Amino acid sequence: MPVPAIGYQTGPGCFDRVKLGFTVGFCVGIASGALFGGFSALRYGMRGRELVQTVGKVMFQGGGTFGTFMAIGTGIRC
C-alpha cells in the first residue's frame, strides 16, 4: 500500500499571529477592566446606568490598550 504524499504545512503568518496577540490581549484587558473598573466605580458610589457606562468604558479602554501592547509584542517576536 503506497504511503500518501504529505505536503509541507506552514504555520500561521506574522499578521495572523499579531491578530491573535491583539485578540488575547483585548480579552485580558476586558476582564481586568471589568474587575478594576467595577470595584472602583462601586467604591465611588455609582449605581445603575452610570455604573454600567463607566465600567463599559473602562473595559474597552483597558482591552484596547492591553491588546495593542500584546499585538506590538507579538509583532516584535515574528
Side-chain angles (χ1 to χ4, degrees):
M1 187 160 125
V3 177
I6 299 175
Y8 291 102
Q9 293 183 351
T10 60
C14 188
F15 185 67
D16 291 329
R17 290 181 188 176
V18 170
K19 286 192 302 186
L20 182 64
F22 179 81
T23 304
V24 170
F26 191 79
C27 291
V28 171
I30 287 280
S32 66
L35 287 173
F36 295 126
F39 286 132
S40 177
L42 287 173
R43 197 174 81 199
Y44 287 129
M46 294 181 189
R47 297 289 186 262
R49 181 179 292 179
E50 185 182 24
L51 174 70
V52 172
Q53 288 176 346
T54 303
V55 172
K57 183 178 173 183
V58 170
M59 285 172 63
F60 278 103
Q61 285 177 344
T65 301
F66 200 73
T68 301
F69 284 117
M70 283 287 289
I72 291 170
T74 306
I76 290 172
R77 291 184 62 199
C78 279

